[in-house]
Amino acid sequence: MTGLRERRNDPEELLDEESLAVLAILLAVSLEFGFGFAKTVDWWAGLIAGPTALATLVVLFRLRRTHAWLVRAATWVVRARSHRPPGAAESTAPRVPPR
């Protein structure tokens, strides 16, 4: 039992870069959602919508089925951006309009 406690309290495991990035994104999305509701509906709606959005996103991320779907979607987005055909690369030369 002591080994399990030490492992869970390991700062490297708790505060690794990926976990912090996920937490920051979830918090940013929920804040944006809450402020959007407060601006369009009323302040009390934003007060309820922000924490509700955060809780919903955390639950969706924690469930195995939706977590796998979110990871697949993120992987698809990253692959679509990183696998460009060789001729599709942007040129650094200045563009000259045709005459």
Coordinates of all heavy atoms in Angstrom, one line a residue:
M1 N 0.8 -1.2 0.0 CA 0.0 0.0 0.0 C 0.9 1.3 0.0 O 0.5 2.2 -0.6 CB -0.9 0.0 1.2 CG -2.0 1.0 1.2 SD -3.2 0.6 -0.1 CE -4.6 1.1 0.6
T2 N 2.0 1.2 0.7 CA 2.9 2.4 0.7 C 3.5 2.7 -0.6 O 3.5 3.8 -1.0 CB 4.0 2.1 1.8 OG1 3.4 1.7 3.0 CG2 4.8 3.4 2.0
G3 N 3.8 1.7 -1.4 CA 4.4 1.9 -2.7 C 3.4 2.5 -3.6 O 3.7 3.4 -4.5
L4 N 2.1 2.2 -3.5 CA 1.0 2.8 -4.3 C 0.9 4.3 -4.0 O 0.7 5.1 -4.9 CB -0.3 2.0 -4.1 CG -1.5 2.5 -4.9 CD1 -1.2 2.3 -6.4 CD2 -2.7 1.7 -4.6
R5 N 0.9 4.6 -2.7 CA 0.8 6.0 -2.3 C 1.9 6.8 -2.8 O 1.8 7.9 -3.2 CB 0.7 6.1 -0.8 CG -0.7 5.8 -0.2 CD -0.7 6.2 1.2 NE -2.1 5.9 1.7 CZ -2.3 5.7 3.0 NH1 -1.4 5.7 3.8 NH2 -3.6 5.4 3.3
E6 N 3.2 6.3 -2.7 CA 4.3 7.0 -3.2 C 4.2 7.2 -4.7 O 4.6 8.3 -5.2 CB 5.6 6.3 -2.8 CG 5.9 6.3 -1.4 CD 7.1 5.4 -1.1 OE1 7.7 4.9 -2.0 OE2 7.5 5.3 0.1
R7 N 3.7 6.2 -5.4 CA 3.6 6.3 -6.8 C 2.6 7.4 -7.2 O 2.8 8.2 -8.1 CB 3.2 5.0 -7.4 CG 3.2 5.0 -8.9 CD 3.0 3.6 -9.4 NE 2.8 3.7 -10.9 CZ 2.0 3.0 -11.6 NH1 1.3 2.1 -11.0 NH2 1.9 3.2 -12.9
R8 N 1.5 7.5 -6.5 CA 0.4 8.5 -6.8 C 0.9 9.9 -6.5 O 0.4 10.8 -7.1 CB -0.9 8.1 -6.1 CG -1.6 7.0 -6.7 CD -2.9 6.9 -6.1 NE -3.7 5.8 -6.8 CZ -4.9 5.5 -6.5 NH1 -5.5 6.1 -5.6 NH2 -5.5 4.5 -7.2
N9 N 1.7 10.0 -5.5 CA 2.2 11.3 -5.0 C 3.4 11.8 -5.7 O 4.0 12.8 -5.4 CB 2.4 11.3 -3.5 CG 1.1 11.2 -2.8 OD1 0.0 11.6 -3.3 ND2 1.2 10.6 -1.6
D10 N 3.9 11.0 -6.7 CA 5.1 11.4 -7.4 C 4.9 12.6 -8.2 O 4.0 12.7 -9.1 CB 5.5 10.2 -8.3 CG 6.9 10.5 -9.0 OD1 7.6 11.3 -8.5 OD2 7.1 9.7 -10.0
P11 N 5.6 13.7 -8.0 CA 5.4 15.0 -8.7 C 5.5 14.9 -10.2 O 4.8 15.5 -10.9 CB 6.4 15.9 -8.1 CG 6.9 15.3 -6.9 CD 6.7 13.9 -7.0
E12 N 6.4 14.0 -10.6 CA 6.6 13.9 -12.1 C 5.4 13.3 -12.7 O 5.0 13.7 -13.8 CB 7.8 13.0 -12.4 CG 9.1 13.6 -12.1 CD 10.3 12.7 -12.4 OE1 10.1 11.7 -13.1 OE2 11.4 13.0 -11.9
E13 N 4.7 12.3 -12.0 CA 3.5 11.7 -12.6 C 2.3 12.7 -12.5 O 1.5 12.7 -13.4 CB 3.2 10.4 -11.8 CG 2.0 9.7 -12.4 CD 1.7 8.4 -11.7 OE1 2.6 7.9 -11.1 OE2 0.6 8.0 -11.8
L14 N 2.2 13.4 -11.5 CA 1.1 14.3 -11.3 C 1.2 15.5 -12.2 O 0.1 16.1 -12.6 CB 1.0 14.7 -9.8 CG 0.6 13.6 -8.8 CD1 0.6 14.2 -7.4 CD2 -0.8 13.1 -9.1
L15 N 2.3 16.0 -12.4 CA 2.5 17.3 -13.1 C 3.3 17.2 -14.4 O 4.1 18.0 -14.8 CB 3.2 18.3 -12.2 CG 2.4 18.7 -11.0 CD1 3.2 19.6 -10.1 CD2 1.0 19.3 -11.3
D16 N 3.1 16.1 -15.1 CA 3.8 16.0 -16.4 C 3.2 16.9 -17.4 O 2.1 17.4 -17.3 CB 3.8 14.5 -16.9 CG 2.4 14.0 -17.2 OD1 1.4 14.6 -16.7 OD2 2.3 13.0 -17.9
E17 N 3.9 17.1 -18.5 CA 3.5 18.2 -19.5 C 2.1 17.8 -20.1 O 1.3 18.7 -20.3 CB 4.5 18.3 -20.5 CG 5.8 18.9 -20.0 CD 6.9 18.9 -21.1 OE1 6.6 18.7 -22.3 OE2 8.0 19.2 -20.7
E18 N 1.9 16.6 -20.5 CA 0.6 16.2 -21.1 C -0.6 16.5 -20.2 O -1.6 17.0 -20.7 CB 0.7 14.8 -21.6 CG 1.6 14.5 -22.7 CD 3.0 14.2 -22.2 OE1 3.2 14.1 -21.0 OE2 4.0 14.2 -23.1
S19 N -0.5 16.1 -19.0 CA -1.6 16.3 -18.0 C -1.9 17.8 -17.8 O -3.0 18.2 -17.8 CB -1.2 15.7 -16.7 OG -1.1 14.3 -16.8
L20 N -0.8 18.6 -17.7 CA -1.0 20.0 -17.6 C -1.6 20.6 -18.8 O -2.5 21.5 -18.7 CB 0.3 20.7 -17.2 CG 0.8 20.5 -15.8 CD1 2.2 21.1 -15.7 CD2 -0.1 21.0 -14.8
A21 N -1.2 20.2 -20.0 CA -1.8 20.7 -21.2 C -3.3 20.3 -21.3 O -4.1 21.2 -21.7 CB -1.0 20.1 -22.4
V22 N -3.6 19.1 -21.0 CA -5.0 18.7 -21.0 C -5.9 19.5 -20.0 O -6.9 20.0 -20.4 CB -5.2 17.2 -20.8 CG1 -6.6 16.8 -20.5 CG2 -4.6 16.4 -21.9
L23 N -5.4 19.7 -18.8 CA -6.1 20.4 -17.8 C -6.2 21.9 -18.2 O -7.3 22.5 -18.1 CB -5.4 20.4 -16.5 CG -5.5 19.1 -15.7 CD1 -4.6 19.1 -14.5 CD2 -6.9 18.7 -15.3
A24 N -5.2 22.5 -18.8 CA -5.3 23.8 -19.3 C -6.3 24.0 -20.4 O -7.1 25.0 -20.4 CB -3.9 24.3 -19.8
I25 N -6.4 23.0 -21.3 CA -7.3 23.1 -22.4 C -8.7 22.9 -21.9 O -9.6 23.7 -22.3 CB -7.0 22.1 -23.5 CG1 -5.7 22.4 -24.2 CG2 -8.1 21.9 -24.5 CD1 -5.1 21.4 -25.1
L26 N -8.9 22.0 -21.0 CA -10.3 21.8 -20.4 C -10.8 23.0 -19.7 O -11.9 23.5 -19.8 CB -10.3 20.6 -19.5 CG -10.1 19.2 -20.2 CD1 -10.1 18.1 -19.1 CD2 -11.2 18.9 -21.2
L27 N -9.9 23.6 -18.9 CA -10.2 24.8 -18.2 C -10.5 26.0 -19.1 O -11.5 26.7 -18.9 CB -9.1 25.2 -17.2 CG -9.4 26.4 -16.3 CD1 -10.6 26.1 -15.4 CD2 -8.2 26.6 -15.4
A28 N -9.7 26.1 -20.1 CA -9.9 27.2 -21.1 C -11.3 27.1 -21.8 O -12.0 28.1 -22.0 CB -8.8 27.3 -22.1
V29 N -11.6 25.9 -22.2 CA -12.8 25.6 -22.9 C -14.0 25.9 -22.0 O -15.0 26.6 -22.4 CB -12.9 24.2 -23.5 CG1 -14.3 23.8 -23.9 CG2 -11.9 24.0 -24.6
S30 N -13.9 25.5 -20.8 CA -15.1 25.7 -19.8 C -15.2 27.2 -19.5 O -16.3 27.7 -19.4 CB -14.9 24.9 -18.6 OG -13.8 25.3 -17.8
L31 N -14.1 27.9 -19.3 CA -14.2 29.3 -19.1 C -14.8 30.1 -20.3 O -15.6 31.0 -20.1 CB -12.8 29.9 -18.8 CG -12.2 29.6 -17.4 CD1 -10.8 30.1 -17.3 CD2 -13.1 30.3 -16.3
E32 N -14.4 29.7 -21.4 CA -14.9 30.4 -22.6 C -16.4 30.1 -22.8 O -17.2 31.0 -23.1 CB -14.2 29.8 -23.9 CG -14.6 30.5 -25.2 CD -14.2 31.9 -25.3 OE1 -13.2 32.3 -24.7 OE2 -15.0 32.7 -25.9
F33 N -16.8 28.9 -22.5 CA -18.2 28.5 -22.5 C -19.0 29.3 -21.5 O -20.1 29.8 -21.7 CB -18.4 27.0 -22.3 CG -19.7 26.5 -22.6 CD1 -20.1 26.3 -23.9 CD2 -20.6 26.1 -21.6 CE1 -21.4 25.8 -24.2 CE2 -21.8 25.6 -21.8 CZ -22.2 25.4 -23.2
G34 N -18.5 29.4 -20.2 CA -19.1 30.1 -19.2 C -19.3 31.6 -19.5 O -20.3 32.2 -19.3
F35 N -18.2 32.2 -19.9 CA -18.2 33.6 -20.3 C -19.2 33.9 -21.4 O -19.8 34.9 -21.5 CB -16.8 34.2 -20.6 CG -16.0 34.4 -19.3 CD1 -14.7 33.9 -19.3 CD2 -16.5 35.1 -18.3 CE1 -13.9 34.1 -18.1 CE2 -15.8 35.3 -17.1 CZ -14.5 34.8 -17.1
G36 N -19.2 32.9 -22.4 CA -20.1 33.1 -23.5 C -21.6 33.1 -23.1 O -22.4 33.9 -23.5
F37 N -21.9 32.1 -22.2 CA -23.2 32.1 -21.6 C -23.6 33.4 -20.8 O -24.6 33.9 -20.9 CB -23.4 30.9 -20.8 CG -24.2 29.8 -21.4 CD1 -23.7 29.0 -22.4 CD2 -25.5 29.6 -20.9 CE1 -24.5 28.0 -23.0 CE2 -26.3 28.6 -21.5 CZ -25.8 27.8 -22.5
A38 N -22.6 33.8 -20.0 CA -22.8 35.0 -19.2 C -23.1 36.2 -20.1 O -23.9 37.1 -19.8 CB -21.6 35.2 -18.3
K39 N -22.4 36.3 -21.2 CA -22.5 37.4 -22.1 C -23.8 37.4 -22.9 O -24.4 38.4 -23.1 CB -21.3 37.5 -23.1 CG -21.2 38.7 -23.8 CD -19.9 38.7 -24.6 CE -19.6 40.0 -25.3 NZ -18.4 40.0 -26.0
T40 N -24.2 36.2 -23.4 CA -25.4 36.1 -24.2 C -26.7 35.9 -23.4 O -27.8 36.4 -23.8 CB -25.3 35.0 -25.2 OG1 -25.1 33.8 -24.5 CG2 -24.1 35.3 -26.2
V41 N -26.7 35.2 -22.3 CA -27.9 34.9 -21.6 C -28.0 35.8 -20.4 O -28.8 36.8 -20.3 CB -28.0 33.4 -21.1 CG1 -29.2 33.2 -20.4 CG2 -27.9 32.5 -22.4
D42 N -27.2 35.5 -19.3 CA -27.2 36.3 -18.1 C -26.0 35.9 -17.3 O -25.5 34.8 -17.5 CB -28.5 36.2 -17.4 CG -28.8 37.4 -16.5 OD1 -28.0 38.3 -16.4 OD2 -29.8 37.4 -15.8
W43 N -25.6 36.6 -16.3 CA -24.5 36.3 -15.5 C -24.7 35.0 -14.7 O -23.7 34.2 -14.6 CB -24.1 37.4 -14.5 CG -25.2 37.6 -13.4 CD1 -26.3 38.5 -13.5 CD2 -25.3 36.9 -12.2 NE1 -27.0 38.4 -12.3 CE2 -26.4 37.4 -11.5 CE3 -24.5 36.0 -11.5 CZ2 -26.8 37.0 -10.3 CZ3 -24.9 35.5 -10.3 CH2 -26.0 36.0 -9.7
W44 N -25.9 34.7 -14.2 CA -26.1 33.5 -13.5 C -26.0 32.2 -14.4 O -25.6 31.2 -14.0 CB -27.4 33.5 -12.8 CG -28.6 33.7 -13.7 CD1 -29.2 34.9 -14.0 CD2 -29.3 32.7 -14.4 NE1 -30.2 34.7 -14.9 CE2 -30.3 33.4 -15.1 CE3 -29.2 31.3 -14.5 CZ2 -31.2 32.7 -16.0 CZ3 -30.1 30.6 -15.3 CH2 -31.1 31.3 -16.0
A45 N -26.4 32.4 -15.7 CA -26.3 31.3 -16.6 C -24.8 30.9 -16.9 O -24.4 29.7 -16.9 CB -27.0 31.6 -17.9
G46 N -24.0 31.9 -16.9 CA -22.5 31.7 -17.1 C -21.9 31.1 -15.9 O -21.0 30.2 -15.9
L47 N -22.4 31.5 -14.7 CA -22.0 30.9 -13.4 C -22.3 29.4 -13.3 O -21.5 28.7 -12.7 CB -22.6 31.7 -12.3 CG -22.0 31.5 -10.9 CD1 -20.6 32.0 -10.9 CD2 -22.9 32.3 -9.9
I48 N -23.3 29.0 -13.9 CA -23.7 27.6 -13.9 C -23.1 26.9 -15.1 O -22.6 25.7 -14.9 CB -25.3 27.4 -14.0 CG1 -25.9 28.0 -12.7 CG2 -25.7 26.0 -14.2 CD1 -27.4 28.1 -12.7
A49 N -23.0 27.5 -16.3 CA -22.5 26.8 -17.5 C -21.0 26.5 -17.4 O -20.6 25.5 -17.9 CB -22.9 27.6 -18.7
G50 N -20.2 27.4 -16.8 CA -18.8 27.2 -16.8 C -18.4 25.9 -16.1 O -17.7 25.0 -16.6
P51 N -18.7 25.8 -14.8 CA -18.4 24.6 -14.0 C -19.1 23.3 -14.6 O -18.5 22.3 -14.6 CB -18.9 24.9 -12.6 CG -18.9 26.4 -12.5 CD -19.3 26.8 -13.9
T52 N -20.3 23.5 -15.1 CA -21.0 22.4 -15.7 C -20.2 21.9 -17.0 O -20.0 20.7 -17.2 CB -22.4 22.7 -16.1 OG1 -23.1 23.2 -14.9 CG2 -23.1 21.5 -16.7
A53 N -19.7 22.8 -17.8 CA -18.9 22.4 -19.0 C -17.6 21.7 -18.5 O -17.2 20.7 -19.1 CB -18.6 23.7 -19.8
L54 N -17.0 22.3 -17.5 CA -15.7 21.6 -17.0 C -16.0 20.2 -16.5 O -15.3 19.3 -16.9 CB -15.1 22.5 -15.9 CG -13.8 21.9 -15.4 CD1 -12.7 21.8 -16.4 CD2 -13.3 22.8 -14.2
A55 N -17.0 20.0 -15.7 CA -17.4 18.7 -15.2 C -17.7 17.8 -16.4 O -17.3 16.6 -16.4 CB -18.5 18.8 -14.2
T56 N -18.5 18.2 -17.4 CA -18.8 17.4 -18.5 C -17.6 17.0 -19.3 O -17.5 15.8 -19.7 CB -19.8 18.1 -19.4 OG1 -21.0 18.5 -18.6 CG2 -20.3 17.3 -20.6
L57 N -16.7 17.9 -19.5 CA -15.5 17.6 -20.3 C -14.6 16.6 -19.5 O -14.1 15.7 -20.1 CB -14.7 18.9 -20.6 CG -15.4 19.8 -21.7 CD1 -14.6 21.1 -21.7 CD2 -15.4 19.1 -23.0
V58 N -14.5 16.8 -18.2 CA -13.7 15.9 -17.4 C -14.3 14.5 -17.5 O -13.6 13.5 -17.6 CB -13.6 16.4 -16.0 CG1 -13.0 15.3 -15.1 CG2 -12.7 17.6 -16.0
V59 N -15.6 14.4 -17.3 CA -16.3 13.1 -17.4 C -16.1 12.4 -18.7 O -15.8 11.2 -18.8 CB -17.8 13.2 -17.0 CG1 -18.5 11.9 -17.3 CG2 -17.9 13.5 -15.5
L60 N -16.3 13.2 -19.8 CA -16.1 12.7 -21.1 C -14.7 12.2 -21.4 O -14.4 11.2 -22.0 CB -16.5 13.7 -22.2 CG -17.9 14.0 -22.4 CD1 -18.1 15.1 -23.4 CD2 -18.7 12.8 -22.8
F61 N -13.7 12.9 -20.8 CA -12.3 12.5 -21.0 C -12.0 11.3 -20.1 O -11.1 10.5 -20.5 CB -11.4 13.7 -20.6 CG -10.1 13.6 -21.2 CD1 -9.8 14.0 -22.5 CD2 -9.0 13.2 -20.4 CE1 -8.6 13.9 -23.1 CE2 -7.7 13.1 -21.0 CZ -7.5 13.4 -22.3
R62 N -12.6 11.2 -19.0 CA -12.3 10.0 -18.1 C -13.0 8.7 -18.6 O -12.4 7.7 -18.3 CB -12.8 10.3 -16.7 CG -12.1 11.5 -16.0 CD -10.8 11.1 -15.4 NE -11.0 10.1 -14.5 CZ -10.0 9.5 -13.8 NH1 -8.8 9.9 -14.0 NH2 -10.2 8.5 -13.0
L63 N -14.1 8.8 -19.2 CA -14.7 7.6 -19.7 C -13.9 6.9 -20.8 O -13.5 7.6 -21.7 CB -16.2 7.8 -20.2 CG -17.2 8.3 -19.1 CD1 -18.5 8.7 -19.8 CD2 -17.4 7.2 -18.1
R64 N -13.7 5.6 -20.8 CA -12.9 5.0 -21.7 C -13.4 5.1 -23.2 O -12.6 5.4 -24.1 CB -12.8 3.5 -21.4 CG -11.8 2.7 -22.3 CD -11.6 1.3 -21.8 NE -11.2 1.2 -20.4 CZ -9.9 1.2 -20.0 NH1 -9.0 1.4 -20.9 NH2 -9.6 1.1 -18.8
R65 N -14.6 5.0 -23.4 CA -15.2 5.0 -24.7 C -15.0 6.4 -25.4 O -14.5 6.6 -26.5 CB -16.7 4.7 -24.7 CG -17.3 4.6 -26.0 CD -18.8 4.4 -25.8 NE -19.2 3.4 -26.8 CZ -20.4 2.9 -26.8 NH1 -21.3 3.2 -25.9 NH2 -20.8 2.0 -27.7
T66 N -15.4 7.5 -24.6 CA -15.3 8.8 -25.2 C -13.8 9.3 -25.2 O -13.4 10.0 -26.1 CB -16.1 9.8 -24.4 OG1 -15.8 9.7 -23.0 CG2 -17.6 9.5 -24.6
H67 N -13.0 8.8 -24.3 CA -11.6 9.1 -24.3 C -10.9 8.6 -25.5 O -10.2 9.3 -26.2 CB -10.9 8.6 -23.0 CG -9.4 8.8 -23.0 ND1 -8.9 10.0 -22.6 CD2 -8.4 8.1 -23.3 CE1 -7.6 10.0 -22.6 NE2 -7.3 8.8 -23.1
A68 N -11.2 7.4 -25.9 CA -10.7 6.8 -27.1 C -11.1 7.6 -28.3 O -10.4 7.8 -29.2 CB -11.1 5.3 -27.2
W69 N -12.4 8.0 -28.3 CA -12.9 8.8 -29.5 C -12.2 10.1 -29.6 O -11.8 10.5 -30.7 CB -14.4 9.0 -29.3 CG -15.0 9.7 -30.5 CD1 -15.4 9.2 -31.7 CD2 -15.3 11.1 -30.5 NE1 -15.8 10.3 -32.4 CE2 -15.8 11.4 -31.8 CE3 -15.1 12.2 -29.6 CZ2 -16.2 12.7 -32.1 CZ3 -15.5 13.5 -29.9 CH2 -16.0 13.7 -31.2
L70 N -12.0 10.8 -28.4 CA -11.3 12.1 -28.4 C -9.8 11.9 -28.9 O -9.3 12.7 -29.6 CB -11.3 12.7 -27.0 CG -12.7 13.2 -26.6 CD1 -12.7 13.5 -25.1 CD2 -13.1 14.4 -27.4
V71 N -9.2 10.8 -28.5 CA -7.8 10.6 -28.9 C -7.7 10.3 -30.4 O -6.8 10.8 -31.0 CB -7.2 9.5 -28.0 CG1 -5.8 9.0 -28.6 CG2 -7.0 9.9 -26.6
R72 N -8.7 9.5 -30.9 CA -8.7 9.3 -32.3 C -8.9 10.5 -33.1 O -8.3 10.8 -34.1 CB -9.7 8.2 -32.7 CG -9.3 6.8 -32.4 CD -10.2 5.8 -33.1 NE -11.6 6.0 -32.8 CZ -12.2 5.3 -31.8 NH1 -11.6 4.4 -31.1 NH2 -13.5 5.5 -31.6
A73 N -9.8 11.4 -32.6 CA -10.1 12.6 -33.3 C -8.9 13.5 -33.3 O -8.5 14.1 -34.4 CB -11.3 13.3 -32.7
A74 N -8.2 13.6 -32.2 CA -7.0 14.5 -32.1 C -5.9 13.9 -33.0 O -5.2 14.7 -33.7 CB -6.6 14.6 -30.7
T75 N -5.8 12.6 -33.0 CA -4.7 12.0 -33.8 C -5.0 12.2 -35.3 O -4.1 12.5 -36.1 CB -4.7 10.5 -33.6 OG1 -4.4 10.3 -32.2 CG2 -3.6 9.8 -34.4
W76 N -6.3 12.2 -35.7 CA -6.7 12.4 -37.1 C -6.3 13.8 -37.5 O -5.8 14.1 -38.6 CB -8.2 12.1 -37.3 CG -8.7 12.5 -38.6 CD1 -8.5 11.7 -39.8 CD2 -9.3 13.7 -39.0 NE1 -9.1 12.3 -40.8 CE2 -9.6 13.5 -40.4 CE3 -9.8 14.8 -38.4 CZ2 -10.3 14.5 -41.1 CZ3 -10.4 15.8 -39.1 CH2 -10.7 15.6 -40.4
V77 N -6.6 14.8 -36.6 CA -6.3 16.2 -36.9 C -4.8 16.4 -37.0 O -4.4 17.0 -38.0 CB -6.9 17.1 -35.8 CG1 -6.4 18.5 -35.9 CG2 -8.4 17.1 -35.8
V78 N -4.0 15.8 -36.1 CA -2.6 16.0 -36.2 C -2.0 15.3 -37.4 O -1.1 15.9 -38.1 CB -1.9 15.4 -34.9 CG1 -0.4 15.4 -35.0 CG2 -2.4 16.3 -33.7
R79 N -2.5 14.1 -37.7 CA -2.0 13.4 -38.9 C -2.3 14.2 -40.2 O -1.5 14.3 -41.1 CB -2.5 12.0 -39.0 CG -1.8 11.1 -38.1 CD -2.3 9.7 -38.3 NE -1.9 8.8 -37.3 CZ -2.5 7.7 -37.0 NH1 -3.5 7.3 -37.7 NH2 -2.1 7.0 -36.0
A80 N -3.5 14.7 -40.2 CA -3.9 15.5 -41.4 C -3.1 16.7 -41.7 O -2.8 17.0 -42.8 CB -5.4 15.9 -41.3
R81 N -2.6 17.3 -40.6 CA -1.7 18.5 -40.7 C -0.3 18.1 -41.0 O 0.5 18.8 -41.6 CB -1.8 19.3 -39.5 CG -3.2 19.8 -39.2 CD -3.2 20.7 -38.0 NE -3.5 22.0 -38.5 CZ -3.3 23.1 -37.8 NH1 -2.8 23.0 -36.6 NH2 -3.6 24.3 -38.2
S82 N 0.2 17.0 -40.5 CA 1.6 16.7 -40.5 C 2.0 15.9 -41.8 O 3.1 15.9 -42.2 CB 2.1 15.9 -39.3 OG 1.4 14.7 -39.3
H83 N 1.0 15.2 -42.4 CA 1.3 14.4 -43.6 C 0.9 15.2 -44.9 O -0.1 14.9 -45.4 CB 0.6 13.1 -43.6 CG 1.2 12.2 -42.5 ND1 2.5 12.0 -42.3 CD2 0.6 11.3 -41.6 CE1 2.7 11.1 -41.3 NE2 1.5 10.7 -40.9
R84 N 1.7 16.1 -45.3 CA 1.5 16.8 -46.5 C 2.2 16.2 -47.7 O 3.3 15.7 -47.5 CB 1.9 18.3 -46.4 CG 1.0 19.1 -45.5 CD 1.5 20.5 -45.5 NE 0.6 21.4 -44.8 CZ 0.8 22.6 -44.5 NH1 1.9 23.2 -44.9 NH2 -0.1 23.3 -43.9
P85 N 1.7 16.3 -48.9 CA 2.5 15.8 -50.0 C 3.8 16.7 -50.2 O 3.8 17.9 -49.8 CB 1.6 16.0 -51.2 CG 0.2 16.3 -50.7 CD 0.4 16.7 -49.2
P86 N 4.8 16.2 -50.7 CA 6.1 16.9 -50.8 C 6.0 18.2 -51.6 O 6.6 19.2 -51.3 CB 7.1 16.0 -51.5 CG 6.4 14.6 -51.4 CD 5.0 14.8 -51.2
G87 N 5.1 18.3 -52.6 CA 5.0 19.5 -53.4 C 4.1 20.5 -52.8 O 4.0 21.7 -53.2
A88 N 3.4 20.2 -51.6 CA 2.5 21.1 -51.0 C 3.1 22.1 -50.0 O 2.5 22.9 -49.4 CB 1.4 20.3 -50.3
A89 N 4.4 21.9 -49.8 CA 5.1 22.8 -48.8 C 5.1 24.2 -49.3 O 5.3 24.5 -50.4 CB 6.6 22.3 -48.6
E90 N 5.0 25.1 -48.3 CA 5.0 26.5 -48.6 C 6.4 27.0 -49.0 O 7.3 26.6 -48.3 CB 4.5 27.3 -47.4 CG 3.0 27.2 -47.2 CD 2.2 28.0 -48.2 OE1 2.7 29.1 -48.6 OE2 1.1 27.6 -48.6
S91 N 6.5 27.8 -49.9 CA 7.8 28.4 -50.3 C 8.0 29.6 -49.5 O 7.1 30.4 -49.1 CB 7.7 28.8 -51.8 OG 8.9 29.5 -52.1
T92 N 9.3 29.8 -49.2 CA 9.7 31.0 -48.4 C 10.0 32.2 -49.3 O 10.2 33.3 -48.8 CB 10.9 30.7 -47.5 OG1 12.0 30.3 -48.3 CG2 10.5 29.7 -46.4
A93 N 10.0 32.0 -50.6 CA 10.3 33.0 -51.6 C 9.2 34.0 -51.6 O 8.0 33.6 -51.5 CB 10.6 32.5 -52.9
P94 N 9.4 35.3 -51.8 CA 8.3 36.3 -51.9 C 7.5 36.0 -53.2 O 8.0 35.6 -54.2 CB 9.0 37.6 -52.0 CG 10.4 37.3 -52.4 CD 10.7 35.9 -51.9
R95 N 6.2 36.2 -53.0 CA 5.3 36.0 -54.1 C 5.3 37.2 -55.1 O 5.2 38.3 -54.6 CB 3.9 35.7 -53.6 CG 3.8 34.4 -52.8 CD 2.4 34.2 -52.4 NE 2.4 33.1 -51.4 CZ 1.5 32.2 -51.4 NH1 0.5 32.2 -52.3 NH2 1.5 31.2 -50.6
V96 N 5.4 36.9 -56.3 CA 5.4 37.9 -57.4 C 4.1 37.7 -58.2 O 3.9 36.6 -58.7 CB 6.6 37.8 -58.3 CG1 6.6 38.9 -59.3 CG2 7.9 37.9 -57.4
P97 N 3.3 38.8 -58.3 CA 2.1 38.6 -59.0 C 2.4 38.4 -60.5 O 3.3 39.0 -61.1 CB 1.3 39.9 -58.8 CG 2.3 40.9 -58.3 CD 3.4 40.1 -57.7
P98 N 1.6 37.5 -61.2 CA 1.8 37.3 -62.6 C 1.5 38.6 -63.5 O 0.6 39.3 -63.1 CB 0.9 36.2 -63.0 CG -0.1 36.2 -61.9 CD 0.5 36.8 -60.7
R99 N 2.2 38.8 -64.6 CA 1.9 39.9 -65.5 C 1.1 39.6 -66.7 O 1.1 38.6 -67.2 CB 3.2 40.6 -65.9 CG 3.9 41.2 -64.7 CD 5.1 41.9 -65.2 NE 5.7 42.5 -64.0 CZ 6.5 43.5 -64.0 NH1 6.8 44.1 -65.2 NH2 7.0 44.0 -63.0

